[in-house]
Amino acid sequence: MNKRIAETLIVCAAAATLLTGCSFSGTPTADPADVAATAADALEQQVGSRPEMDCGTETVEIVSGTVVNCVLTDPETGLTYDAPVTISDVDGLDYVVNVDVAAEPNS
C-alpha cells in the first residue's frame, strides 16, 4: 500500500452517518474518530488495505468544504503522511469524504 499511497493522489468518497450531535448554531458535528474511520474505510476500498487515520481531537463541523487535517499511518511501513480530509455533499446526516494523501512521508 505504501507505494500506491506515496505515488498517487488519492481521492475517495464514502457516505457517513455517524454524526454525534449538533452545535448551538444547528450545524451537525461528528467526532474526529468517526471522520477518521470513514476516511480509512474509503481508502481501504481504494487501495485494498486499511491505513490508520488520526484526525485529532477537535469536533468536526459537517459542512461542505470543511477540511480536517488528518495523518495517515501506513500499516506496512509505519510511515506517516499528511492526509487532509474534505467534507462534501452534506445531505442531512450523510456526507462524503475526500482524502488527499501526500506523495511524500512526513520526516
Side-chain angles (χ1 to χ4, degrees), residues 64 87-91 94-96 98:
S64 287
I87 306 293
S88 65
D89 299 330
V90 176
D91 181 21
D94 294 328
Y95 60 95
V96 171
N98 298 301

Side-chain angles (χ1 to χ4, degrees), residues 1-8 49 74-77 79 81 103:
M1 178 172 96
N2 62 339
K3 190 166 182 111
R4 288 202 319 201
I5 288 176
E7 294 178 352
T8 306
S49 62
D74 184 327
E76 294 176 15
T77 66
L79 295 173
Y81 297 81

